[in-house]
Amino acid sequence: MAEISYLTHIELDDTGLPAPTPEVDQERKIAIYDLIEDNAFGLPDKGDAPTPAGPYKLTLSIQDKRLVFDVVTEQDDKAGEFHLSLSPFKDTIKDYFQICEAYFDAVKSLPAAQIEAIDMGRRGIHDEGGRLVQERLEGKIETDKRTARRLFTLICVLHFRG
């Protein structure tokens, strides 16, 4: 079991990706702010060598169609790098963007009850994405549900194609 620590800095390497829409940029800013304010993030020991203790800094990027978690300590010592296939996230990300678009459109003109119904669906897909993040990171990174949900938001931002 990982000693749960936390993240103090998060960076998205969106080099080569299209500029996000204002809504996607706002989602990114909120997710990063919320993550820094409250998160649980730990790295399990591998074999005989202990993993450097946190707190950690995280850079998320997409390289060669793979999601990369690059983790360093506060002193910028390498703590771990994990490459995950984006394929398992594909459908959930697509669903999340569709419902977010419906939500952003709804807040402009629909009554509160309809906005709340769409937002409930959005939260459900977000929860599903968080569970997927935890599942895919199993044995690599330990997080709580709230941290995994926010990481899913950042994965979606990196996956955004304009």
Side-chain angles (χ1 to χ4, degrees), residues 13-21 24-25 60-68 84-87 89-90 93-94 96-98 101 153-162:
D13 180 357
D14 55 5
T15 305
L17 299 177
T21 65
V24 170
D25 190 48
L60 284 173
S61 63
I62 295 179
Q63 299 173 16
D64 300 322
K65 297 183 181 181
R66 297 184 66 77
L67 179 64
V68 179
L84 303 176
S85 171
L86 283 166
S87 296
F89 294 99
K90 185 177 167 185
I93 289 171
K94 179 182 171 192
Y96 184 68
F97 275 125
Q98 286 176 338
E101 185 176 326
T153 300
L154 296 178
I155 292 166
C156 288
V157 169
L158 281 174
H159 202 266
F160 178 73
R161 296 288 181 227

Side-chain angles (χ1 to χ4, degrees), residues 114-132:
Q114 288 178 312
I115 294 169
E116 288 175 24
I118 293 169
D119 194 44
M120 283 179 51
R122 183 172 82 142
R123 283 191 303 255
I125 293 171
H126 207 186
D127 288 343
E128 181 182 327
R131 282 190 299 276
L132 185 57

Side-chain angles (χ1 to χ4, degrees), residues 24-36:
V24 170
D25 190 48
Q26 181 68 11
E27 289 283 317
R28 177 187 67 184
K29 288 176 182 174
I30 291 169
I32 289 174
Y33 176 84
D34 287 347
L35 267 168
I36 297 301

Side-chain angles (χ1 to χ4, degrees), residues 49-113:
T51 300
Y56 302 104
K57 299 178 189 178
L58 172 66
T59 301
L60 284 173
S61 63
I62 295 179
Q63 299 173 16
D64 300 322
K65 297 183 181 181
R66 297 184 66 77
L67 179 64
V68 179
F69 288 73
D70 187 10
V71 183
V72 298
T73 65
E74 287 268 276
Q75 297 76 32
D76 292 323
D77 296 325
K78 190 72 153 181
E81 185 173 298
F82 309 101
H83 295 242
L84 303 176
S85 171
L86 283 166
S87 296
F89 294 99
K90 185 177 167 185
D91 289 340
T92 308
I93 289 171
K94 179 182 171 192
D95 292 346
Y96 184 68
F97 275 125
Q98 286 176 338
I99 201 150
C100 282
E101 185 176 326
Y103 175 80
F104 293 135
D105 288 343
V107 296
K108 296 174 188 171
S109 61
L110 293 179

